[in-house]
Amino acid sequence: MKLLLTIVQDADANGLQRALIENGFQSTKLASTGGFLREGNTTLLIGLEDHDVERAKEIIHATCRERVKAVTPSPSITDMQEGYLAMPMEVTVGGAVVFVLGVEEYAKL
Ligand code: 2BA
């Protein structure tokens, strides 16, 4: 058995959960925050059989879109004192970041 720890953008989360249910996969949705953008994102825990991993990854890939986000880094105090202006930059986020973890045991107690 495997656990797909799947980080997606909030805008894709409901559609992905719906697509997973339609294809017979269970998932648990957690609110999370990205370390770089410090914006909310969504982490889905998806427990499945080994032979279903590729099918689930296809569903994730088909559902989650890449988006370009504009970010303006917060200047440090030194930067502000020296009059530097923070330059906006663009980062491409998503579609999804997926960690495939081995599951030692799955129990409902
Ligand atoms: P964030 O950490 O908020 O990162 C958002 C996007 O910013 C990333 O998109 C990436 O394109 C960019 N980025 C991240 N760190 C950067 C840096 N040091 N310099 C320039 N750009 C940077 P994704 O790669 O699609 O990641 C989306 C979210 O997935 C991340 O949100 C984070 O919550 C999670 N994630 C990605 N890689 C991870 C990892 N190795 N471990 C844990 N979480 C991860």
Side-chain angles (χ1 to χ4, degrees):
M1 189 175 196
K2 294 280 192 281
L3 179 71
L4 303 190
L5 203 156
T6 306
I7 303 164
V8 303
Q9 295 175 74
D10 289 345
D12 291 326
N14 286 342
L16 174 56
Q17 248 189 339
R18 202 175 315 120
L20 289 168
I21 287 169
E22 283 166 7
N23 285 276
F25 293 110
Q26 292 193 51
S27 65
T28 296
K29 184 175 160 188
L30 306 173
S32 45
T33 304
F36 185 67
L37 294 181
R38 292 183 211 156
E39 283 183 7
N41 54 27
T42 297
T43 300
L44 291 184
L45 307 181
I46 309 165
L48 37 60
E49 297 302 330
D50 289 21
H51 63 262
D52 282 326
V53 168
E54 288 312 311
R55 196 159 63 89
K57 280 163 65 179
E58 282 166 20
I59 294 166
I60 294 166
H61 181 67
T63 315
C64 299
R65 290 197 292 117
E66 258 187 7
R67 295 182 181 84
V68 175
K69 297 211 168 186
V71 191
T72 306
S74 307
S76 66
I77 291 173
T78 316
D79 285 345
M80 286 192 283
Q81 284 167 342
E82 294 177 0
Y84 289 116
L85 292 175
M87 295 297 292
M89 58 188 271
E90 289 188 339
V91 292
T92 304
V93 190
V97 174
V98 181
F99 298 89
V100 182
L101 311 177
V103 174
E104 199 166 305
E105 184 183 348
Y106 169 63
K108 291 185 180 177
L109 304 175

